Amino acid sequence: MRKIVFIFVLLFSMSGVAHESSELNKTMKEMGHIYKQAMEAQSAHEMQAHLTELTTLVNESKQFQFKQEVSAESVEGLNKVLETITKASQEVDSGRVEKAREMLLKIDKLRKQYHKLHEPPSFWELLFGS
């Protein structure tokens, strides 16, 4: 009986982790969509609205639980994204939409850099270790 309870608890906890991972994945995809909209914005007002929404999504992402070994780095990356959004927002407020657009390119570089932390190990890493 104890084994059945243990297996049930283990499966239930794994489904919770999978659900949270799925929610984070969904939020990240939405962030990518809003980022593209901000980059394609034709007016300062439109860009500012997208930056505000992007800020909200990044803050939501910080609430998710990342793998323990990369949690601090993941939050650091999200903080850098927030910092970049804030600077770009200030540029938009000053009427420099193109300058803000240039600043937002940094977010894509950060995305590539920090997504590497969450990539699953390759077949060779599993076979021979990292």
Side-chain angles (χ1 to χ4, degrees):
M1 182 67 179
R2 287 184 180 178
K3 288 181 182 179
I4 293 173
V5 170
F6 176 74
I7 291 171
F8 179 73
V9 169
L10 182 64
L11 289 174
F12 182 73
S13 66
M14 289 174 66
S15 71
V17 169
H19 175 72
E20 183 150 320
S21 176
S22 172
E23 288 297 313
L24 175 61
N25 207 4
K26 191 166 87 173
T27 301
M28 291 291 185
K29 285 181 181 180
E30 191 174 350
M31 284 170 53
H33 177 69
I34 300 301
Y35 170 80
K36 284 181 183 180
Q37 288 180 326
M39 292 296 285
E40 295 170 355
Q42 299 299 315
S43 69
H45 178 72
E46 184 182 358
M47 183 179 274
Q48 194 63 268
H50 294 308
L51 292 178
T52 300
E53 190 173 356
L54 192 55
T55 299
T56 301
L57 290 171
V58 173
N59 282 322
E60 283 178 20
S61 295
K62 286 174 61 176
Q63 303 307 311
F64 287 100
Q65 294 203 355
F66 298 98
K67 289 188 262 181
Q68 189 172 5
E69 57 272 4
V70 295
S71 180
E73 290 176 280
S74 297
V75 171
E76 174 189 328
L78 291 171
N79 285 334
K80 287 180 180 180
V81 169
L82 283 173
E83 190 177 301
T84 303
I85 293 170
T86 300
K87 290 177 182 177
S89 182
Q90 291 169 349
E91 293 295 334
V92 171
D93 287 342
S94 299
R96 295 186 292 266
V97 175
E98 287 306 315
K99 177 73 172 164
R101 205 177 316 272
E102 288 174 24
M103 294 182 89
L104 289 176
L105 291 173
K106 182 179 178 183
I107 291 175
D108 196 46
K109 291 177 185 173
L110 289 168
R111 178 189 61 82
K112 290 174 185 174
Q113 176 185 350
Y114 284 93
H115 274 198
K116 288 179 185 176
L117 296 173
H118 299 277
E119 290 178 356
S122 71
F123 170 76
W124 299 110
E125 287 175 328
L126 290 173
L127 193 59
F128 297 111
S130 49

